[in-house]
Amino acid sequence: MRVLIINTSERTGGAAIAASRLMDALKDSGIKAKMLVRDKQSDRITVVALKKSWRHIWNFVWERFIIWKANHFKKTNLFAVDIANTGTDITSLPEFRQADVIHLHWVNQGMLSLKNIRKILESGKPVVWTMHDMWPITGICHHAETCTNYTSNCHDCPLLHKGNKTDLSYRIFRKKQKLYQNANITFIACSRWLESQAKKSALTQGHKVTSLPNPINTSLFRPTDKKEARQKLHLPTGKKLLMFSSMKITDKRKGIDYLVEACRLILEKHPEAGKELAVVVVGKQSQQYESLFPFPIHCIDYVSGEREIADIYNAIDLFVTPSLMENLPNTIMEAMSCGIPCVGFNIGGIPEMIDHLHNGYVAQYKSAEDLANGICWSLNESDYKSLSEAARRKVLSSYSEHTVAMKYIHIYNQITGNNA
């Protein structure tokens, strides 16, 4: 069986990493999988890039202009929405023609337009669409937050300045409705939370919606010697290290302000923590927060190499993700695979990954105080060794490459009629 995985980027962003890992997992399980991307970042022959063209830049700029205009020329939420009005027709590519299954992932920002997706659907090839956010099931937004319009018909979009009954979200929602009607699409959410949201959408009615997690290479992300990892990264060996990670630290949706406040509360209640704790901040612009934490900070720029990422996880004691919007974070999966307990808010797919008081701590949403409680409990009150072992076991049983690949292969066989 030949599967073509389609994603805007090969390595940039959580969806790209998940799609790339799935390709590797499928190949290791006997599937002839390739990945088609607009932005290629490696020399892997199984990753095919669209031909470089000025049109890709123009497509991106034109889409942003239409959104900017519809938003009454306000920059607010300019990248929180997508309309898929531009893209590339891929149906004539040999990789597409040879494929038995077309597997869409994150295809925004000029990769595929709605017209391009229509041509894919009209080809007759079965389509699997893994949702890494809510965009496939809403009008234009990637995260609906508290808005529920997508359950009936998008309109009066809260992400648009002066949204109305026939605004951009309404028009794109209607286009998607026509596009999906009678189409052979299987929607797959990366978390049970997103699956439940997708089943509520008016766009998915009549289509199969299920959930499968992202896979991870548990041989690469595995526990190693903590002291050696710290020495390699020049991190202190005598402190308990918390870690926060984001591609862009200043992205408010990642919730670093809640971690700063949680650390302040910890120091207030436990003054001795000032000598015991330190924070490792990984990501672009991490130095901007250096002066805000009450504990020593060790800043590491954004890391893309998986071996380097695994070394960082093995150097820390606790991974903290105060993110305000999440589906199924790769970062939690990576940390747990290395035997690192995690603390995160009760949002999205996080409580599916972190089993409260078993392999980490699930804090009350947007509560810096409970985030602080989770950090203290994980490091001081729990049986840390048991937490660590439980975290590793959870990943091995639920997220290993082979486990996830076999579940996807079962779906491929179902939709192609190949039940061998």
Side-chain angles (χ1 to χ4, degrees), residues 160-177:
L160 293 177
H161 184 69
K162 296 182 180 179
N164 56 64
K165 289 184 178 180
T166 57
D167 62 16
L168 194 60
S169 70
Y170 169 82
R171 298 196 297 274
I172 301 301
F173 190 91
R174 297 292 291 172
K175 287 182 179 180
K176 285 184 179 179
Q177 258 184 334

Side-chain angles (χ1 to χ4, degrees), residues 225-328:
D225 186 82
K226 193 174 298 295
K227 185 176 180 180
E228 287 183 9
R230 290 191 179 189
Q231 289 174 341
K232 188 174 182 179
L233 294 163
H234 307 291
L235 294 172
T237 56
K239 289 183 180 288
K240 293 179 179 178
L241 299 182
L242 313 178
M243 176 179 165
F244 172 88
S245 174
S246 175
M247 189 185 306
K248 186 179 180 183
I249 298 298
T250 53
D251 185 347
K252 294 296 183 181
R253 295 172 299 178
K254 295 303 180 182
I256 192 171
D257 293 333
Y258 287 91
L259 179 56
V260 171
E261 177 63 12
C263 288
R264 188 187 65 78
L265 292 172
I266 291 172
L267 190 60
E268 274 185 11
K269 294 180 180 179
H270 309 281
E272 70 279 6
K275 295 181 180 179
E276 298 173 353
L277 294 181
V279 182
V280 177
V281 181
V282 182
K284 293 179 180 177
Q285 301 174 320
S286 56
Q287 290 79 8
Q288 292 190 26
Y289 278 81
E290 194 167 2
S291 62
L292 300 181
F293 280 94
F295 302 131
I297 300 299
H298 302 274
C299 297
I300 300 176
D301 202 4
Y302 177 70
V303 177
S304 58
E306 291 193 327
R307 293 189 183 281
E308 292 82 0
I309 294 171
D311 285 339
I312 297 172
Y313 287 120
N314 275 293
I316 65 165
D317 296 287
L318 188 68
F319 182 73
V320 185
T321 177
S323 185
L324 307 181
M325 298 179 191
E326 280 297 354
N327 184 9
L328 196 82

Side-chain angles (χ1 to χ4, degrees), residues 145-158:
E145 299 186 46
T146 58
C147 176
T148 58
N149 287 344
Y150 69 94
T151 61
S152 55
N153 192 358
C154 283
H155 60 87
D156 295 297
C157 182

Side-chain angles (χ1 to χ4, degrees), residues 5-12 15-16 19 35-41 47-50 52 56 60 82 104-112 142:
I5 292 172
I6 303 171
N7 199 77
T8 301
S9 172
E10 179 191 0
R11 297 296 303 171
T12 303
M35 189 170 173
L36 178 66
V37 299
R38 185 192 66 191
D39 305 323
K40 182 176 178 177
Q41 285 100 11
V47 178
V48 180
L50 296 175
K52 294 289 185 182
H56 295 159
F60 175 78
D82 274 293
L104 304 180
H105 284 256
W106 201 90
V107 293
N108 297 117
Q109 297 190 356
M111 178 67 189
L112 296 180
H142 291 281

Side-chain angles (χ1 to χ4, degrees), residues 60 63-83 109 135 140-145 156-163 168 251-253 325:
F60 175 78
E63 183 182 41
R64 293 308 114 184
F65 175 77
I66 297 298
I67 296 169
W68 182 53
K69 181 183 176 185
N71 206 25
H72 292 263
F73 303 103
K74 304 287 183 182
K75 291 183 180 179
T76 309
N77 298 321
L78 185 59
F79 291 94
V81 301
D82 274 293
I83 59 175
Q109 297 190 356
W135 187 83
I140 61 176
C141 72
H142 291 281
H143 296 281
E145 299 186 46
D156 295 297
C157 182
L159 295 180
L160 293 177
H161 184 69
K162 296 182 180 179
L168 194 60
D251 185 347
K252 294 296 183 181
R253 295 172 299 178
M325 298 179 191

